[in-house]
Amino acid sequence: MVAEAGIQATAALYRPGLEGVPATQSAVCDIDGQRGILSYRGYRVEDLASQSTFLETTYLLIWGELPDAEQLAAFEQEVQMHRRVSFRIRDMMKSFPSQGHPMDALQASAASLGLFYSRRALDNPEYIYGAVVRLIAKIPTMVAAFQLIRKGQDPIQPRDDLAYASNFLYMLTEREPDPLAARIFDACLILHAEHSLNASTFSARVTASTLTDPYAVVASAVGTLAGPLHGGANEDVLTMLEEIGSEDQVEPWLDRAIAEKRKIMGFGHREYKVKDPRAVILQKLAEQLFDAFGHDPLYDLARKLEAVAADRLGPKGIYPNVDFYSGLVYRKLGIPEDLFTPIFAIARTAGWLAHWKEQLGANRIFRPTQIYTGYAARELTPIEAR
Ligand code: CMC
C-alpha cells in the first residue's frame, strides 16, 4: 500500500520531455520566453550580436565576465595557435564516406580529440583553459576539412592573419570573405552560442557529470544537436521553403501541413511563446546581406509563411524560432545546406563548454529515476519449452 502510494506520487511528478522540470542550477543564460528576451551572463543577446565578437562572447560565457583587452587578445592568440588539427585526424576524415552527413563526421572527429589530449585534469584551471581553447579552435577546422575532403580536395590550413569567422569562411570556400559577410557570420555564431538547458546542452551536462573528458562532452552534444527537432531543423527549413515553391502556394501548403499535423520547420519552441529574439536579429542580418549581395526570392516566401502562420499558429504561441531565418543567411553566404547544423555546433561549443565548466564546479552525477511500465516478476520458460 505504502509502495503503491509512492509510485503514484512519482507518476504525478512525471513530465514527458522534462517540460518545466528544473534539472540544474545555472548562471550562464536566461530566457524570458513570454517577452522574447535572451541574455548571456546578464547581457542581452542583441547587444552582444552588435557590439561583441564570437570569441569575446565565448570568453564571457565560459568565464562569466567580459574579458578586458589584454585577456581577449591572449585568448584570441591561443585559439589562433591551436586551429590546426593533426594530420592523423585529417587522414581519419579521409576514410569517412564522402556521402556521410557532416554532423556525423564532426561527432567522430570531435571524439577523436580525446585520443590525442588524454591527460585529463579536471581540477586544474590550466587544463580547463587548454581544453576550451583546443575545442573552440579545432571544431571549425574539422568542419571545413570534411567539406573539402568530401569534394576530393585537401583541407586548407588556417590563416593566421584572419579572425575566427573570416578564417572559417576562408577554410570552407578557399576565398577570403567580404568583411560584411564575415561580420554577419560572426554575429550568427554569437546568436547560436548558448541557449540554456536545451537537449544538446543537457546531454553535455549529463556527460560532464560522469567526469569524463571535455572531448567526449562535446561529441555527445554534437550527436544530440544533429536531430531534426533540434539543430537539424535549420537545413529542413530551406527544404520546406523549396517544397512550397512559390508565394501563392504558401496558404494551401500551410493549411495542408496543419491538417496533416505536420510540424512546420523553424517554428515553435519549448521556451518561447513569442517570436524568438534570435529570429528577429537573423532576419535583419539576412536583409543586410540581401542589400549588399542581392536578393533571395526564398526570403519573400519565408516572410509570407511567417505572416500566414501568425494567424494559424500564433494563437498557440508558435512563432519562428532561431532556425527559420538562419538558413537563408547561410545560403546567401554560399554555405551548403548540410553544413548549417555543423555551424550551429561550432557556435554552441561555447555554450556546451560553459555548462561543462559550471557542472564541474558543483558536480553530482545525473541519475534520474523512472516509472517502470514493464512486466511484474515472471517465471523463465526454458528455450525448448517456448
Ligand atoms: N508546427 C506546427 N505545430 C507545432 C509546431 C510546429 N513547428 N511546434 C509545435 N507545434 C504544436 C504541436 O503540434 C502541439 O500541438 P497539439 O498540442 O495540438 O498536439 C503543440 O504545438 C506542442 O508541440 P510539442 O511538439 O509538444 O512542443 P515541444 O515543446 O515538445 O516542441 C519543438 C518544441 C521545437 C521541438 C517543436 O516546436 C518542433 O518540433 N518544431 C519544429 C522543429 C524546429 O523548428 N526545431 C528547432 C527548435 S529551435 C532550435 C533548437 O533548439 O535546436
Side-chain angles (χ1 to χ4, degrees):
M1 218 31 207
V2 175
E4 207 165 284
I7 290 168
Q8 275 172 15
T10 314
L13 292 174
Y14 173 52
R15 297 281 177 277
L18 296 182
E19 181 166 4
V21 177
T24 192
Q25 293 188 322
S26 179
V28 180
C29 163
D30 190 37
I31 300 169
D32 179 339
Q34 300 299 331
R35 294 193 296 156
I37 297 174
L38 169 63
S39 52
Y40 301 164
R41 302 280 188 187
Y43 296 102
R44 291 278 290 257
V45 75
E46 291 83 355
D47 294 338
L48 291 166
S50 60
Q51 293 171 51
S52 175
T53 63
F54 174 66
L55 284 187
E56 187 183 20
T57 298
T58 298
Y59 189 104
L60 167 73
L61 285 167
I62 295 172
W63 285 284
E65 297 294 339
L66 285 167
D68 62 26
E70 205 176 308
Q71 288 166 324
L72 180 59
F75 183 55
E76 284 171 347
Q77 203 196 348
E78 290 279 349
V79 169
Q80 189 211 83
M81 278 165 51
H82 285 88
R83 279 170 180 169
R84 283 160 208 267
V85 296
S86 161
F87 73 92
R88 290 170 197 274
I89 292 184
R90 295 201 303 272
D91 285 351
M92 176 188 79
M93 293 173 96
K94 285 179 185 164
S95 68
F96 293 167
S98 57
Q99 72 280 14
H101 197 285
M103 276 302 267
D104 296 325
L106 179 61
Q107 190 185 19
S109 33
S112 79
L113 289 173
L115 292 159
F116 292 87
Y117 309 104
S118 56
R119 286 177 43 227
R120 186 189 311 148
L122 299 178
D123 51 0
N124 179 347
E126 281 173 29
Y127 173 85
I128 304 275
Y129 189 87
V132 165
V133 162
R134 271 196 198 101
L135 278 156
I136 295 293
K138 293 185 196 301
I139 294 277
T141 308
M142 295 191 298
V143 171
F146 185 66
Q147 169 62 8
L148 293 199
I149 288 170
R150 69 177 173 167
K151 290 197 292 181
Q153 294 168 233
D154 271 331
I156 299 183
Q157 292 295 348
R159 250 180 55 189
D160 288 349
D161 59 320
L162 294 179
Y164 194 82
S166 310
N167 178 60
F168 172 71
L169 293 173
Y170 162 73
M171 289 190 298
L172 198 64
T173 61
E174 306 169 72
R175 279 194 319 275
E176 198 175 317
D178 178 276
L180 175 70
R183 171 64 204 143
I184 287 179
F185 184 73
D186 197 63
C188 290
L189 295 180
I190 294 172
L191 295 175
H192 286 85
E194 162 60 10
H195 210 236
S196 84
L197 211 59
N198 53 83
S200 58
T201 302
F202 186 43
S203 174
R205 284 193 86 123
V206 171
T207 309
S209 81
T210 70
L211 301 184
T212 186
D213 70 62
Y215 310 103
V217 169
V218 169
S220 71
V222 170
T224 310
L225 183 70
L229 296 187
H230 194 5
N234 56 14
E235 55 183 271
D236 292 342
V237 170
L238 284 194
T239 314
M240 175 185 77
L241 294 175
E242 277 154 4
E243 182 194 317
I244 297 172
S246 62
E247 283 183 59
D248 59 331
Q249 286 304 310
V250 168
E251 277 195 70
W253 182 92
L254 184 62
D255 287 337
R256 230 178 12 254
I258 292 173
E260 290 166 3
K261 297 203 175 306
R262 280 164 60 191
K263 289 274 179 74
I264 316 304
M265 288 292 130
F267 277 80
H269 203 281
R270 180 72 63 80
E271 296 287 321
Y272 295 114
K273 300 304 160 215
V274 294
K275 184 169 174 179
D276 186 328
R278 299 166 298 172
V280 176
I281 305 170
L282 281 160
Q283 187 172 0
K284 289 187 192 136
L285 295 178
E287 285 173 0
Q288 277 183 45
L289 275 177
F290 301 145
D291 286 347
F293 304 111
H295 195 64
D296 182 345
L298 275 193
Y299 177 62
D300 303 324
L301 217 155
R303 283 186 49 200
K304 173 98 191 266
L305 180 58
E306 179 180 350
V308 176
D311 288 341
R312 318 281 207 277
L313 299 172
K316 288 175 84 176
I318 299 167
Y319 290 97
N321 61 45
V322 66
D323 287 329
F324 192 59
Y325 288 109
S326 64
L328 287 165
V329 171
Y330 297 149
R331 178 174 138 107
K332 195 70 216 170
L333 292 172
I335 296 171
E337 284 178 28
D338 62 359
L339 290 190
F340 295 175
T341 319
I343 287 167
F344 194 156
I346 292 174
R348 190 54 61 83
T349 300
W352 294 330
L353 291 172
H355 284 268
W356 167 60
K357 188 166 169 294
E358 191 176 59
Q359 183 66 34
L360 293 180
N363 191 49
R364 188 155 190 233
I365 190 166
F366 279 94
R367 200 335 177 169
T369 189
Q370 64 166 15
I371 297 161
Y372 179 63
T373 60
Y375 289 104
R378 309 197 262 172
E379 290 297 325
L380 194 149
T381 314
I383 193 157
E384 58 280 7
R386 276 179 232 155

